[in-house]
Every structure is written in C-alpha cells, then in structure tokens.
Amino acid sequence: MHWGTPAFLNLFLIIPILIGFYAFISLKKKRSREIFGDPSLVERLSFSKSSAKERTKVILIFFAVIFLIFTLARPQIGTRLVMAKRYGVDIMVAIDTSLSMLAEDMKPNRLEKAKIEIATLIDRLKGDRIGILTFAGDSFIQCPLTLDYSAAKMFLGIINVDMMPRPGTAIGDAIRRSISAFTKSERKYKVLILVTDGEDHKGKPVEAAEEAARAGIKIYTIGIGSTKGEPIPIRDKTGKIVEYKKDRSGEVVLTKLDEATLQKIAFVTDGRFYHATGGMELDKIYEEISKMEKKELQSRLFTQYEDRFQYFVGIAIILLCMEFILGERKRLCE
C-alpha cells in the first residue's frame, strides 16, 4: 500500500491520548457517583442505563477516528500508467548588459530592475521553454532553452555588466545569436524578448530582425531609459558614487534610448515595442504569448497510484452512524 499524504499517519499519536482521556473521565465519573451516595443505591437508580452499550459507543468512535486518519493519509492501492504532456512556446530573453544599464532612472538600476521583472516572468511560465542571452559589444547564450525554471533563474541571478569583454550595445548581433538558439525547422512557437537601453549603429538590427522574421521568430522589444539621456554612475567598492562615466573629451556620457529602431525591430517580426515603466511591461507580453499557438515540448510516461480513501471514509461514516443510532438504555427484556 502507498500513502498519498503519509504525514497524516502521525495523527495516530493522539490515539493513546484519547484512550487516556477516556479512562480519566470514566474514573472521575465513578468517584463522583461514590461521593453522590451509596454505590449500590446509585446503581439501582440508574438500572435502565446499559454500561455495555456505553462502552460499545466509545469503541465505535475510536475506530471511526482511526479510519478518518487513514482517509487523510490517502491510502493508494494499484497503479496505472499516465502520459503527461507539456505544451508551450520557446522564449529567449536577450538582456543588455552594457555599462549604461547601471543608470539609476529605474531603481535600484536598469539591469537589476530588468532581472527582477524577468524572474517574475519565469515564475508565471507554465510549460514554456525559457532561455537567456546576454549582450553588450558581444553576445552570449547564458542559458539555453530549458523547462528547468530554477536553473534559468540561477543563471539570471549571476548576470552583471562585467560579463561581456567588449563594450557597446550590439543589438543586431544579439538577435542573430538568438536565432541560432531556436529550432531551425520550426516556423512558429518562437519568441524573443529584447531588453535594452541603448543604440546600435553597427550591427544593423533591423536587418537582423528581418532574418528573425524569416525564421518565424516574433520579437518583443522593451526599451529602458529616457530618450533625452541619463548619466551612468561609477561606484567604488563601498557602493558610493565617485563620478559619472565620461567620454574622451571629458564630457559626461548620456545613454539615450533609440525608440525608433526598437519599434522597427518589433514591427517587422509582428511583435510589439514597449517603453519600460515600473513593471517592465512583461505582464502584457506574457498575456500575448499565452494566446499564441503552442507546441508539445515534452511527453513523459509516469506511474499514477489509485486513491482508495473512499472505502475508509465510508467505513468511518458507517461507524459514526451506528454510534448515533445505538442508544444507552437497556432493552425492556434485559
């Protein structure tokens, strides 16, 4: 026999307590009768009460409690094979890890805010595969497409701006690298979520988006930051801001969002562009993804135990009914 919730078997520890409590109450009643008057007289006055029936009712209640405990533990007898299938889409999240993601117009900064929101998105997934790509001047598949959401969140947690050796924001290269992460033979079920705050003047991102569209990939772009520009803080080891990033001429660098390019990238792939607010707009993207046609991502044959608690709860109910019907008085013929 197998138990569905074996922890409830620990309730059997209360049985000795109940027995002790009953013995204590019985002893207390006996002493009360002795105090009330002569025991033989009290017994004659209560001649119609059946001690045997009283004990039987207690035994019925005890056995009913035992069978109810068995019911809670969910006894399972017999097995059957069940095919479990998971359906979903493939989602790659490309995260900009350039130095400009340290700007603090979103708290605690753009990168950390993006990571928090992406972790929330992963928690909402149900059957979809998730992958993570990081990019700056280079791009790297941090986590291949997987159904292991815990592993994806672990890889997400270690992302920082020091991961890419080459500075910059190569959006076009990141899109091309993401294309290689998907199954090439499929023409649908593929989504790329691009999270960035920068401009790409070298990687030809719109042309890369057209390649993604031909591969059946829908791109959702999330632009972080201001189109007017935001300074990039540089902190010391204690976390204190010591200065702001400057260019070769000594001017403070302002990171500006290129909304037009991100809109074009989304448009050519039939996706959507979002300008990040406090919630990064990932909830809206997930709602759209959940409406997409899904493919079978995993099939697994597993053994399922058959629940038999119904028999135990039925016996418990019968015992309680018998206890209720059984009176405490003797029959007239007794």
Side-chain angles (χ1 to χ4, degrees):
M1 182 181 293
H2 188 267
W3 302 98
T5 51
F8 282 105
L9 293 174
N10 293 323
L11 291 176
F12 277 111
L13 295 174
I14 70 172
I15 298 298
I17 298 175
L18 292 176
I19 293 174
F21 180 73
Y22 172 71
F24 172 77
I25 294 299
S26 298
L27 181 61
K28 191 172 182 181
K29 284 184 177 179
K30 182 179 179 181
R31 290 179 177 176
S32 297
R33 285 196 297 269
E34 291 174 352
I35 295 172
F36 179 74
D38 181 67
S40 59
L41 179 61
V42 172
E43 186 176 351
R44 285 197 299 272
L45 290 173
S46 57
F47 70 94
S48 62
K49 187 174 182 181
S50 173
S51 299
K53 286 186 176 181
E54 184 179 1
R55 287 192 295 269
T56 301
K57 288 171 69 70
V58 171
I59 292 172
L60 289 173
I61 291 175
F62 272 115
F63 275 100
V65 170
I66 289 172
F67 279 99
L68 286 174
I69 292 174
F70 279 130
T71 300
L72 292 173
R74 286 179 54 211
Q76 298 171 328
I77 304 173
T79 61
R80 62 189 176 97
L81 294 176
V82 177
M83 179 65 73
K85 296 182 179 181
R86 299 182 72 171
Y87 295 88
V89 299
D90 289 337
I91 305 170
M92 281 297 298
V93 180
I95 308 173
D96 188 345
T97 57
S98 59
L99 193 62
S100 59
M101 289 291 283
L102 293 178
E104 298 178 352
D105 47 352
M106 298 188 78
K107 300 298 181 183
N109 59 51
R110 294 174 179 175
L111 180 59
E112 290 303 317
K113 179 63 176 177
K115 288 166 61 177
I116 292 169
E117 296 300 326
I118 293 168
T120 302
L121 170 67
I122 293 174
D123 288 336
R124 294 188 62 183
L125 296 180
K126 297 177 181 178
D128 306 290
R129 288 199 300 178
I130 185 76
I132 299 172
L133 178 141
T134 55
F135 70 95
D138 295 315
S139 56
F140 175 72
I141 296 178
Q142 184 77 10
C143 175
L145 289 166
T146 181
L147 285 166
D148 189 343
Y149 300 146
S150 297
K153 290 179 71 173
M154 180 187 69
F155 283 111
L156 177 68
I158 62 175
I159 292 175
N160 59 70
V161 296
D162 300 320
M163 300 187 70
M164 296 293 110
R166 185 184 302 174
T169 308
I171 297 174
D173 293 343
I175 294 174
R176 293 185 181 92
R177 180 62 63 90
S178 296
I179 294 173
S180 66
F182 293 102
T183 304
K184 294 181 175 59
S185 60
E186 294 177 340
R187 300 292 304 169
K188 49 187 176 180
Y189 319 117
K190 297 185 282 190
V191 172
L192 171 61
I193 301 175
L194 181 66
V195 183
T196 181
D197 69 346
E199 304 167 288
D200 183 357
H201 300 295
K202 298 180 180 180
K204 299 181 179 180
V206 177
E207 291 183 12
E210 291 171 350
E211 295 175 27
R214 289 192 292 270
I217 300 171
K218 181 179 289 191
I219 302 179
Y220 292 91
T221 55
I222 299 178
I224 305 176
S226 168
T227 55
K228 297 179 180 179
E230 184 75 16
I232 304 169
I234 298 177
R235 298 177 179 272
D236 59 17
K237 294 181 179 180
T238 64
K240 182 180 179 181
I241 297 177
V242 293
E243 62 175 327
Y244 290 92
K245 183 176 174 58
K246 299 178 181 179
D247 58 21
R248 294 180 180 179
S249 62
E251 296 293 327
V252 174
V253 175
L254 296 179
T255 171
K256 297 181 180 180
L257 176 65
D258 185 0
E259 280 191 349
T261 299
L262 295 181
Q263 288 172 344
K264 290 177 183 177
I265 291 171
F267 177 77
V268 299
T269 62
D270 197 28
R272 289 190 65 180
F273 163 75
Y274 292 94
H275 190 166
T277 59
M280 295 289 294
E281 312 303 325
L282 283 171
D283 284 342
K284 295 179 181 178
I285 293 175
Y286 177 74
E287 289 175 6
E288 293 193 33
I289 292 174
S290 63
K291 297 175 184 176
M292 293 175 60
E293 182 182 354
K294 301 181 184 297
K295 65 175 179 178
E296 184 180 318
L297 291 172
Q298 186 184 69
S299 295
R300 185 168 62 92
L301 193 65
F302 70 97
T303 301
Q304 185 177 72
Y305 290 95
E306 295 284 355
D307 282 318
R308 304 297 183 190
F309 67 88
Q310 304 92 335
Y311 301 109
F312 291 86
V313 72
I315 294 172
I317 291 173
I318 291 172
L319 292 173
L320 290 173
C321 289
M322 290 173 61
E323 188 277 335
F324 179 76
I325 294 172
L326 186 65
E328 293 184 354
R329 297 185 177 277
K330 295 178 181 179
R331 295 179 182 178
L332 295 176
C333 60
E334 293 181 7

